[in-house]
Amino acid sequence: MNHVFTFLEQRLMPPLNKVANLRFIRAIMQAGIITVPFTIVGSIFLIINNLPQIIPPLAGFFEQTILKFSPLYSVATTMSIGSIALFYCLATAYYLTDIYRKEEKLQLSSFVGATLGLFAFLMTIIQVDISDSGAQLLQTTGETAIIYNGVALGSWVTRFSGVGIFIGIITAVLATQVYRFCVKKKITIQMPAGVPDGVSKAFASLIPAIIIAFLMILINGCLAIFHTDLHGLLSKPFEFVKDLTGSWLGIIVIMLLIHLLWAVGVHGTAVIKNSFINPILLVALTENIDGATNIFAGDFVNMYIFIGGAGSTLGLVLLMLFRAKSQQLKVLGKAAILPGLFNINEPVIFGAPIVYNPYLIIPFIVTPLINVTVAYFATSFGIVAKVITGIPWISPVGIGAFLGTGGDFRGILIAILNLLISIVCYYPFFRMYDNKLFVEQQANEAEAARHDQ
């Protein structure tokens, strides 16, 4: 193990540090930390809504009491996790602007940068199509979702949720660069001396806002000619995943795509699994009930791979809870353990953060690939029964595997084995990251002590 740490510290840490110190990476990581309270709040009410699935014997009691008020308290989940892309966009633009302001000594306002980033992102929400008759706002209706005047709606604005994070980051960085360029080149409206600072900053953002508006209209218009937009463009390359579910290699590719997307801030589970894979898994489950032997069926992913959520992050949360030295990871471990037990891991994905974090991306991507390999071949060789029943996705580790296999206790053992594998995979990277945060924490404490003297 010492050889592993020596290799990681001497060979891997230098390039990781270089990546971690890139300005936009620092801004994105800080944005992830800022979103933690919202993900935790949303997770609390999400767990409350799923109490009948978590404790089936008390389902009737919950439905007759607390769940009667679900439309009231579920607003907290909708406006936190359901709006996570907005928070990510605002925070990324804010911190990136702040970095440029401090390091390049520019007359930039972090608040103005944040609002410009949000403005650019909001201009990607409306779906427009261009044909021979001109431009039209899309309109569609469905049982669970609609597009009304170009806005995709489910329980809330669809693109405000995790599926919009990546575009939110892109537009935040783009808007910040426009703002920075205008200020550096003095392409702003200069107010005379004596004008209040707030008024001056407001007018200084006018020209950047105009440039951003025209730029986003140009991008949207060019894509609308081809009947798509930035969000649609993101999903196009992944439609082929429907053909990959029948083999171990295909499932590996699917898991790899899901976690590569998560690593850059895209809700890979929603883009790949929820959009393309879930209907296939449901059909496979139905076939298994009738006697088929599909391995990748039902909730196979939640039973064996998403232990604690995408990336098998429950192992990481346990390390934070019991092994962290840095205050940041200690506190995050305490906050993330309860949601993590029920496979809700937004707090750790955005709080550690894992998104754009070069220290944690590697185990986040690799661990599910090992887990799916273990579970696939354990099922293929008959070590554990195939999936024959549907389960709640929030079923804790082992319990979901036991129920999904129709009561095969060996499913519990495979799930626990995968949890132990995730702990081992995360540990060296967790230790490097925790040490880095601990050193920074000590430096900050020493600096604060000097100021107090």
Side-chain angles (χ1 to χ4, degrees):
M1 183 61 74
N2 287 333
H3 292 296
V4 174
F5 285 125
T6 300
F7 170 78
L8 292 174
E9 290 172 358
Q10 293 181 357
R11 301 294 182 183
L12 198 58
M13 281 191 68
L16 288 181
N17 278 324
K18 288 182 180 179
V19 174
N21 285 321
L22 293 174
R23 288 169 173 173
F24 80 96
I25 295 292
R26 285 153 52 198
I28 293 168
M29 290 176 66
Q30 190 63 38
I33 295 171
I34 292 300
T35 62
V36 172
F38 303 106
T39 59
I40 293 175
V41 167
S43 298
I44 291 170
F45 292 99
L46 190 59
I47 291 173
I48 292 174
N49 251 3
N50 283 283
L51 283 174
Q53 295 173 300
I54 297 170
I55 315 175
L58 296 178
F61 170 74
F62 292 131
E63 289 167 359
Q64 293 301 316
T65 54
I66 190 170
L67 292 183
K68 285 186 175 182
F69 300 94
S70 177
L72 175 64
Y73 63 73
S74 291
V75 173
T77 300
T78 301
M79 295 304 163
S80 54
I81 295 176
S83 302
I84 195 70
L86 293 176
F87 305 133
Y88 231 96
C89 177
L90 276 167
T92 300
Y94 179 94
Y95 285 108
L96 187 55
T97 304
D98 196 54
I99 289 169
Y100 286 131
R101 180 182 64 82
K102 292 176 179 177
E103 296 183 1
E104 297 185 356
K105 309 300 181 184
L106 297 174
Q107 293 298 311
L108 296 169
S109 164
S110 300
F111 178 77
V112 169
T115 55
L116 290 173
L118 180 61
F119 173 55
F121 175 61
L122 291 176
M123 289 197 67
T124 71
I125 300 302
I126 309 296
Q127 299 183 55
V128 182
D129 187 66
I130 294 179
S131 61
D132 294 338
S133 59
Q136 306 90 27
L137 297 177
L138 293 188
Q139 308 276 354
T140 64
T141 58
E143 293 183 4
T144 59
I146 65 171
I147 300 178
Y148 178 73
N149 285 341
V151 181
L153 301 170
S155 59
W156 178 229
V157 180
T158 304
R159 291 177 170 181
F160 284 175
S161 65
V163 297
I165 287 176
F166 185 62
I167 302 301
I169 290 172
I170 291 175
T171 51
V173 173
L174 177 63
T176 302
Q177 297 303 330
V178 170
Y179 181 35
R180 172 191 176 214
F181 175 82
C182 289
V183 171
K184 286 183 74 172
K185 301 299 182 181
K186 302 190 184 304
I187 310 174
T188 58
I189 296 176
Q190 302 292 329
M191 301 299 290
V195 174
D197 185 60
V199 176
S200 297
K201 288 179 179 177
F203 276 91
S205 67
L206 178 57
I207 293 179
I210 293 172
I211 295 174
I212 290 168
F214 277 103
L215 182 60
M216 297 310 300
I217 289 170
L218 178 63
I219 293 171
N220 291 341
C222 290
L223 293 175
I225 294 173
F226 297 97
H227 313 296
T228 187
D229 57 18
L230 282 171
H231 296 264
L233 198 63
L234 180 68
S235 65
K236 290 294 183 186
F238 305 109
E239 293 182 356
F240 76 94
V241 298
K242 294 179 182 178
D243 302 323
L244 298 176
T245 59
S247 67
W248 167 78
L249 182 59
I251 301 169
I252 285 289
V253 171
I254 291 169
M255 289 299 110
L256 185 61
L257 289 172
I258 288 174
H259 291 89
L260 285 173
L261 289 176
W262 267 117
V264 294
V266 181
H267 198 307
T269 307
V271 172
I272 303 262
K273 182 178 179 290
N274 296 352
S275 300
F276 302 115
I277 301 303
N278 277 355
I280 300 171
L281 296 180
L282 182 58
V283 172
L285 174 62
T286 305
E287 292 174 351
N288 281 2
I289 293 172
D290 293 332
T293 57
N294 298 303
I295 295 176
F296 201 44
D299 282 282
F300 183 89
V301 172
N302 292 321
M303 288 162 49
Y304 297 123
I305 307 168
F306 285 6
I307 297 175
S312 303
T313 52
L314 183 57
L316 175 61
V317 173
L318 291 173
L319 287 171
M320 291 178 180
L321 191 62
F322 295 110
R323 300 290 294 176
K325 294 187 296 182
S326 66
Q327 196 63 27
Q328 177 181 323
L329 295 188
K330 281 182 182 178
V331 172
L332 181 60
K334 293 176 183 178
I337 185 62
L338 180 59
L341 290 173
F342 297 104
N343 300 329
I344 300 168
N345 67 344
E346 279 84 356
V348 69
I349 283 182
F350 302 122
I354 291 173
V355 173
Y356 283 96
N357 186 338
Y359 289 91
L360 298 179
I361 281 176
I362 294 174
F364 181 79
I365 294 171
V366 171
T367 303
L369 303 185
I370 299 174
N371 286 352
V372 76
T373 299
V374 170
Y376 180 91
F377 287 107
T379 307
S380 177
F381 294 147
I383 298 173
V384 65
K386 65 182 183 296
V387 182
I388 57 171
T389 62
I391 62 166
W393 65 271
I394 41 79
S395 299
V397 58
I399 295 176
F402 178 77
L403 297 174
T405 54
D408 188 343
F409 73 93
R410 294 171 297 181
I412 300 175
L413 300 180
I414 297 299
I416 296 297
L417 174 61
N418 276 348
L419 173 60
L420 296 176
I421 288 171
S422 73
I423 293 173
V424 172
C425 289
Y426 273 106
Y427 180 68
F429 299 91
F430 156 80
R431 196 173 103 164
M432 283 194 301
Y433 186 49
D434 186 47
N435 285 341
K436 171 181 177 291
L437 294 179
F438 186 63
V439 169
E440 292 176 354
Q441 176 185 316
Q442 288 181 315
N444 290 336
E445 289 173 353
E447 181 68 23
R450 281 197 296 270
H451 283 301
D452 291 339
Q453 290 176 355

